[in-house]
């Protein structure tokens, strides 16, 4: 990798991270929405113990309804936040990215900066949300729980980047992400839904994270296989977003002059 490309990547990263840090709505949601959602889910949901089958392993577990709901609610909160944050960041820089690439700025550096921003945002939000859960609850595998939350952040962050290239405004993006998250997580909650044990839930974006979170909370087995579903979703969303970005920033070279004779 050339020094010029590294320098361009570092500059793009700095501006992308600064732009993300200036998103006041996302900051408010991070500071207030995640703790509020986790607190409400833990304190207002029944602590009655429910039996449920962990689809990833086929084993039956028992857990408090408040703890299961807190896990589901946390995944819902972080998916909304990171999805909207990456959607907003990608939409706001869309025109500027096109001008930069038209002026000769390396697209590879811009793509690298976007992926770095996705990783930084996901690590920050997942760490914060996991820390809040640990204030209320002692899962059997806290590190695995954090990995599961990070996975859903990455999936929805990549989804936000993808949607930003197709939807016109932040309202449309936010509503779309909210609806996807509801359709995704509501049928998977073993307390609130009778469809949590259906085969089709395996196709949903947060399936891997929820199954891994439940395993981390209530078993001592390092159940990592569900994260393959998260990896597949992350790969598909990221590839689509980057392909659309490359197409959107493609520069058209003027045709070569034609000389007669």
């Amino acid at each position: 990798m050339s020094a010029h490309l590294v320098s361009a990547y570092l500059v793009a990263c700095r501006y992308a991270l600064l732009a993300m840090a200036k998103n006041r709505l996302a900051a408010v949601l991070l500071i207030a929405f995640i703790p509020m959602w986790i607190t409400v889910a833990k304190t207002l949901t029944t602590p009655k113990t429910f039996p449920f089958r962990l689809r990833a392993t086929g084993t039956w577990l028992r857990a408090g309804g408040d703890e299961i709901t807190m896990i589901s609610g946390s995944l819902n909160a972080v998916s909304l936040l990171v999805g909207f944050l990456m959607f907003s960041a990608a939409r706001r820089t869309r025109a500027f990215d096109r001008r930069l690439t038209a002026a000769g700025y390396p697209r590879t550096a811009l793509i690298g900066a976007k992926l770095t921003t996705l990783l930084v945002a996901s690590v920050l939000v997942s760490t914060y949300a996991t820390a809040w859960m640990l204030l209320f609850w002692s899962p059997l595998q806290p590190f695995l729980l954090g990995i599961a939350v990070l996975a859903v952040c990455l999936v929805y962050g990549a989804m936000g980047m993808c949607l930003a290239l197709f939807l016109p405004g932040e309202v449309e993006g936010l509503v779309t992400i909210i609806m996807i998250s509801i359709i995704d997580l509501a049928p998977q909650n073993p307390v609130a839904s009778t469809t949590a044990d259906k085969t089709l839930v395996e196709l949903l974006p947060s399936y891997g994270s929820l199954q891994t979170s439940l395993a981390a909370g209530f078993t001592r087995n390092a159940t990592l296989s569900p994260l393959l579903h998260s990896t597949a979703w992350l790969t598909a969303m990221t590839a689509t977003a980057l392909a659309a970005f490359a197409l959107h920033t493609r520069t058209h070279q003027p045709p070569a002059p034609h000389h007669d004779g």
Side-chain angles (χ1 to χ4, degrees):
M1 184 180 295
S2 68
H4 171 69
L5 187 57
V6 171
S7 177
Y9 161 74
L10 293 175
V11 171
C13 270
R14 183 168 71 250
Y15 281 99
L17 292 172
L18 284 173
M20 183 180 69
K22 291 179 180 179
N23 191 324
R24 295 180 180 178
L25 176 57
V28 170
L29 291 176
L30 175 65
I31 295 170
F33 178 64
I34 288 180
M36 180 179 67
W37 188 239
I38 292 174
T39 303
V40 168
K42 183 66 173 70
T43 57
L44 297 185
T45 309
T46 175
K48 177 183 176 182
T49 301
F50 288 86
F52 67 95
R53 188 169 78 94
L54 188 66
R55 281 199 60 84
T57 61
T59 57
W60 282 89
L61 303 173
R62 296 184 67 86
D66 53 345
E67 294 169 348
I68 296 173
T69 303
M70 182 177 63
I71 292 173
S72 178
S74 299
L75 296 183
N76 182 240
V78 300
S79 63
L80 290 176
L81 177 56
V82 180
F84 172 71
L85 179 61
M86 295 308 300
F87 175 88
S88 178
R91 192 192 69 83
R92 292 180 181 184
T93 61
R94 185 168 52 186
F96 188 54
D97 288 340
R98 190 165 190 171
R99 291 196 297 271
L100 282 176
T101 53
Y105 204 88
R107 281 193 296 182
T108 306
L110 293 175
I111 289 173
K114 292 182 183 302
L115 294 178
T116 300
T117 304
L118 169 61
L119 180 60
V120 170
S122 298
V123 169
L124 175 64
V125 173
S126 63
T127 301
Y128 185 69
T130 304
W132 266 96
M133 279 194 281
L134 295 180
L135 290 177
F136 292 96
W137 173 50
S138 297
L140 295 179
Q141 301 182 78
F143 180 75
L144 183 60
L145 176 65
I147 294 297
V149 179
L150 174 61
V152 81
C153 287
L154 289 169
V155 169
Y156 270 83
M159 187 185 297
M161 291 170 57
C162 186
L163 291 173
L165 296 164
F166 302 102
L167 298 177
E170 289 194 354
V171 173
E172 293 87 345
L174 182 59
V175 171
T176 301
I177 293 169
I178 289 173
M179 295 307 300
I180 292 174
S181 180
I182 292 173
I183 294 171
D184 178 14
L185 280 156
Q188 296 189 66
N189 188 335
V191 173
S193 175
T194 59
T195 61
D197 200 35
K198 302 296 183 182
T199 304
L200 287 179
V201 301
E202 296 185 16
L203 301 177
L204 298 173
S206 68
Y207 170 80
S209 288
L210 183 57
Q211 291 290 305
T212 304
S213 296
L214 293 172
F218 310 113
T219 74
R220 296 192 181 277
N221 299 322
T223 305
L224 298 175
S225 58
L227 293 180
L228 293 176
H229 291 77
S230 301
T231 303
W233 269 97
L234 175 61
T235 302
M237 290 290 98
T238 303
T240 302
L242 296 184
F245 174 80
L247 184 63
H248 179 76
T249 57
R250 183 175 57 185
T251 55
H252 298 278
Q253 299 295 329
H258 178 71
H259 299 284
D260 293 329

